[in-house]
Amino acid sequence: MRLWKRRKGSGLLSRLNLPIFVLIVAIIAFFATAASYILIRVQNAHTREIAEQSMKFVYRNLWYQFDTMNNVSAFLISNQSIDNLLEGAYQQPFEAVDDYFALQSNLENLSLLSLLNDFGSPAVTRQSYVVSLALEPESGLYGMATEHFEPITGIFKSEDLHGEEWFRVLGEGRQMTVWWGQRTGRPDTAMIYSARRKSSIKDGRSIGTIMIGANIGSVRSVFENAPLANGFHLLLDERGRVIFSERYSFLEEVGELPYVKAAASAPQGTIVARLDGEQHRIMFDTLANGWKLLTVVPESHFGQYTFAISAIGAATAVAALLVAAFWLRRIVVRVTVPITRLVAAIQRPEVAEFKEPLPHPNSGIYEVDELNQKFASMLVTLHGLIENSFREEMERQALQLELLHAQINPHFLYNTLDLINCRAIMAGDRETSNIVRSLANVFRYGLNRGQTWISLEKELAQVEAYLHIQQMMRERLHVDIEAPEALLSARIVHLVLQPLAENAIVHGFADYDQHTDCRIAVAAYLEGSRLVLRVSDNGCGSDSDAMNARLGEQPGGYSAERAGDGGDGYGTMNVHRRIQLHCGKAYGLRYVKVAEGTCVEAVLPYSPE
């Protein structure tokens, strides 16, 4: 049977091996996963940051270029000398020649002045803008202006432009500045333009339209200096037409594309949309002229190093597991083998039956050898304790047997009291009947079927029955019992109030004669989460401080006779010790200072049911 039990349970080696190995696997897996996750997040965040920086670079340079075009327009609008040239009055056309060429020179100078971040050679003078003036008939130079507009720097009449939508928008005053893209019919002449009305500084009448054009190549150079390894940029005008993109052609209509429509709902932000069967991240922002810049990057670009980082993390975790498993096996074997030998020696029948001492093997491990020696000493001590316990148990059973012989059968006692009650009723002695019934209640509640706990209602009924008997013996004994109905179901330690009431009668009224009014009050109330039962009398009184000090003494140094309980076995100290035994040291009895008599309170935990 013993061998079968040994085989049924698992050994120390197997019990330690698997849990520790699982723990190490979990720890290594956690740290490997966490490290891979952090590296992936950092790498993806870095890749995303590069894409965002590329977009911000393009945005800043485009904003700078468009702002410079606005500055050129503002210069022409606010310059007094140019205003004077445009508003001059001439009798003959040839008189305006000098002013015409002066204005033409100013426009040529503005178009040659490179106010942009030129990405070409600084030694080459390049035309940055096309600066044009479309004059109205109100201008004095209108007669000298070229008849038909061409996308070059110069002065033109405005008749060719009246059919253009942007020209109508300016004329209606819906916008101060209009931006658009346009092909001019010449090779490599895709242009972007901004146009503003030129009004007279003197009287505010419209005398022309200023048009600033820039070759699309200047925009291309901005995008080429912020290339994307994967993805593309997209610059759109307000109508959703392409101004520049590595993917779409100039002025191509893309406003109906789902991701373009999604980006049009907000001035800036980031969305994720499906493009060419793959998820893409679209970052977008709106320029000051209303055009929108989009940077489209596939999501796979952000996670391109995920697999490599995960593979490295997995390989590192496997290597760490192999090393950990090797050393774990060596450590566990070295510790568990001596303990297993010790267990085998303990299970020998001769050692378990104390017929021979436990062997003392020398394992070379201090802790295991010390454990073996201490266990051998423990076996000797255990053997002595078993013998003493057996002897004490035999004595206890003998005392119990004697006590059982001396006990009165409760049913016999109740039946006898019932018989006396019936005989008293038959004899017409109601007073004796009441005494017998009260005495029966005292015994019934006092025995409580051997239970430790009782409801407050039954405890009050017991003390009421006891005091009823005392009232029959003392005609001038007055009893007052008060307890809220909500507290009657509370559970308390059995036999608390009756010993306190008995103590009040035996000691509080010991020197009183039969003609003295004696009063006992029993009350129950809540004090926070504690139930307090109070018994007070108007007797000879006691020193509350001295009584509280005696209650705090150790059980072995204090007897019932010292407390004045008459050795009845259910005195004050007995009640105090039983409450602390069942409820804890925070509870028990306490004496309260009063002007007359004695007041003692039993403090118990409040249990509603």
Side-chain angles (χ1 to χ4, degrees):
M1 185 68 177
R2 187 178 291 109
L3 291 177
W4 179 81
K5 286 184 179 179
R6 283 189 61 186
R7 291 171 183 171
K8 181 179 178 181
S10 56
L12 180 62
L13 180 60
S14 60
R15 283 183 176 272
L16 287 180
N17 246 341
L18 183 59
I20 295 178
F21 183 72
V22 170
L23 178 62
I24 292 176
V25 168
I27 293 174
I28 293 177
F30 171 77
F31 280 105
T33 305
S36 299
Y37 175 78
I38 293 172
L39 287 174
I40 291 171
R41 289 293 299 271
V42 170
Q43 178 61 41
N44 292 350
H46 178 67
T47 307
R48 188 177 297 110
E49 184 180 356
I50 291 176
E52 291 174 353
Q53 287 177 352
S54 176
M55 177 181 174
K56 290 177 182 178
F57 174 84
V58 172
Y59 181 91
R60 285 195 300 267
N61 282 275
L62 288 176
W63 173 86
Y64 180 77
Q65 179 164 336
F66 295 160
D67 189 58
T68 304
M69 294 172 69
N70 281 329
N71 290 338
V72 173
S73 297
F75 174 79
L76 291 173
I77 289 173
S78 61
N79 188 275
Q80 183 66 53
S81 62
I82 292 177
D83 201 74
N84 292 336
L85 292 173
L86 291 174
E87 294 191 59
Y90 309 100
Q91 297 294 330
Q92 299 294 330
F94 65 85
E95 294 177 357
V97 172
D98 291 339
D99 290 344
Y100 175 84
F101 283 108
L103 179 59
Q104 180 72 19
S105 297
N106 284 329
L107 297 182
E108 291 288 347
N109 290 335
L110 286 173
S111 66
L112 292 174
L113 180 62
S114 180
L115 300 178
L116 301 175
N117 288 329
D118 192 356
F119 298 107
S121 172
V124 179
T125 302
R126 296 178 17 164
Q127 186 180 31
S128 299
Y129 308 112
V130 171
V131 183
S132 305
L133 272 172
L135 300 181
E136 300 293 336
E138 288 79 3
S139 173
L141 298 179
Y142 181 79
M144 296 290 296
T146 305
E147 292 290 337
H148 299 289
F149 174 78
E150 292 187 23
I152 59 174
T153 298
I155 305 169
F156 308 92
K157 293 180 180 180
S158 62
E159 279 75 5
D160 285 354
L161 305 177
H162 287 175
E164 300 290 339
E165 182 181 355
W166 64 266
F167 193 82
R168 289 197 301 270
V169 171
L170 280 179
E172 294 169 1
R174 284 184 283 167
Q175 292 180 228
M176 291 184 58
T177 305
V178 179
W179 295 80
W180 75 96
Q182 180 178 334
R183 290 189 181 276
T184 62
R186 297 182 179 183
D188 194 26
T189 53
M191 303 283 289
I192 57 173
Y193 285 96
S194 70
R196 294 180 65 177
R197 281 287 188 179
K198 168 62 178 168
S199 301
S200 173
I201 298 177
K202 296 177 181 179
D203 52 21
R205 58 190 172 85
S206 178
I207 57 176
T209 302
I210 299 172
M211 293 175 290
I212 310 298
N215 192 290
I216 201 68
S218 60
V219 175
R220 181 183 293 108
S221 63
V222 173
F223 285 92
E224 288 175 351
N225 280 273
L228 292 173
N230 292 287
F232 59 93
H233 295 291
L234 183 59
L235 178 62
L236 303 176
D237 65 9
E238 294 176 296
R239 295 171 55 185
R241 295 180 302 181
V242 176
I243 300 300
F244 180 84
S245 175
E246 300 94 333
R247 182 184 179 93
Y248 303 101
S249 59
F250 182 65
L251 296 183
E252 182 178 349
E253 297 280 353
V254 295
E256 295 302 317
L257 293 177
Y259 73 93
V260 176
K261 293 176 69 175
S265 61
Q268 63 178 5
T270 301
I271 59 174
V272 177
R274 198 163 189 83
L275 181 61
D276 297 335
E278 183 181 358
Q279 291 290 104
H280 283 67
R281 183 178 295 271
I282 296 98
M283 299 168 283
F284 59 92
D285 204 346
T286 304
L287 294 160
N289 63 352
W291 291 3
K292 184 152 289 189
L293 174 64
L294 291 81
T295 299
V296 183
V297 182
E299 284 287 336
S300 59
H301 175 66
F302 299 117
Q304 59 183 328
Y305 298 106
T306 300
F307 177 77
I309 295 175
S310 301
I312 294 173
T316 304
V318 170
L321 283 176
L322 293 176
V323 174
F326 172 75
W327 285 106
L328 171 66
R329 179 72 181 178
R330 293 199 60 180
I331 293 172
V332 170
V333 167
R334 181 165 176 79
V335 172
T336 57
V337 167
I339 297 177
T340 304
R341 292 173 180 171
L342 175 61
V343 172
I346 293 172
Q347 290 178 339
R348 290 176 56 194
E350 295 81 5
V351 174
E353 295 171 4
F354 306 105
K355 293 181 180 179
E356 62 179 55
L358 189 70
H360 297 280
N362 185 12
S363 64
I365 301 176
Y366 169 77
E367 290 79 3
V368 176
D369 292 341
E370 188 70 16
L371 176 64
N372 187 85
Q373 294 178 9
K374 296 299 181 183
F375 197 84
S377 302
M378 184 186 69
L379 284 178
V380 175
T381 305
L382 181 62
H383 182 63
L385 291 175
I386 290 175
E387 291 182 348
N388 292 335
S389 177
F390 179 75
R391 189 184 310 110
E392 292 175 359
E393 183 63 24
M394 293 299 293
E395 294 176 359
R396 189 179 299 109
Q397 289 182 1
L399 291 174
Q400 266 188 329
L401 185 60
E402 293 178 5
L403 181 60
L404 288 174
H405 284 301
Q407 281 185 339
I408 299 175
N409 190 325
H411 294 288
F412 173 75
L413 176 63
Y414 296 150
N415 292 337
T416 303
L417 292 175
D418 286 340
L419 178 61
I420 297 172
N421 182 38
C422 291
R423 293 294 180 88
I425 292 174
M426 292 173 63
D429 191 351
R430 291 292 179 181
E431 184 175 0
T432 301
S433 174
N434 291 336
I435 294 173
V436 171
R437 283 202 302 270
S438 296
L439 180 60
N441 289 335
V442 169
F443 282 127
R444 182 176 292 106
Y445 291 123
L447 293 175
N448 194 31
R449 298 180 180 179
Q451 300 297 317
T452 303
W453 297 87
I454 192 172
S455 68
L456 177 60
E457 183 178 12
K458 292 183 179 180
E459 182 74 7
L460 291 174
Q462 180 192 6
V463 73
E464 184 178 13
Y466 171 77
L467 291 174
H468 179 66
I469 297 173
Q470 292 294 337
Q471 282 180 308
M472 293 181 180
M473 293 188 292
R474 291 175 175 266
E475 295 182 357
R476 301 180 69 87
L477 175 63
H478 303 280
V479 177
D480 182 19
I481 299 178
E482 293 184 3
E485 186 175 353
L487 301 180
L488 295 180
S489 62
R491 306 295 293 176
I492 65 172
V493 177
H494 177 227
L495 207 60
V496 172
L497 293 175
Q498 189 267 331
L500 300 181
E502 180 181 358
N503 196 57
I505 292 173
V506 173
H507 301 289
F509 306 135
D511 299 331
Y512 283 32
D513 55 34
Q514 293 293 329
H515 302 290
T516 303
D517 286 334
C518 302
R519 298 184 180 276
I520 293 179
V522 179
Y525 63 92
L526 283 180
E527 186 181 87
S529 61
R530 302 190 297 179
L531 177 64
V532 180
L533 306 180
R534 170 179 288 187
V535 178
S536 58
D537 62 69
N538 64 339
C540 60
S542 63
D543 187 347
S544 59
D545 293 334
M547 295 303 294
N548 286 328
R550 289 179 179 178
L551 289 175
E553 293 180 5
Q554 296 298 323
Y558 186 69
S559 64
E561 289 75 14
R562 287 183 57 191
D565 295 331
D568 55 16
Y570 290 106
T572 305
M573 181 57 69
N574 183 289
V575 173
H576 180 67
R577 294 305 182 199
R578 283 193 298 109
I579 292 175
Q580 288 193 335
L581 175 65
H582 296 290
C583 304
K585 296 295 183 181
Y587 304 95
L589 298 185
R590 66 186 182 191
Y591 282 82
V592 181
K593 289 184 179 181
V594 290
E596 181 184 17
T598 302
C599 178
V600 60
E601 293 180 342
V603 182
L604 302 105
Y606 175 59
S607 177
E609 296 181 358

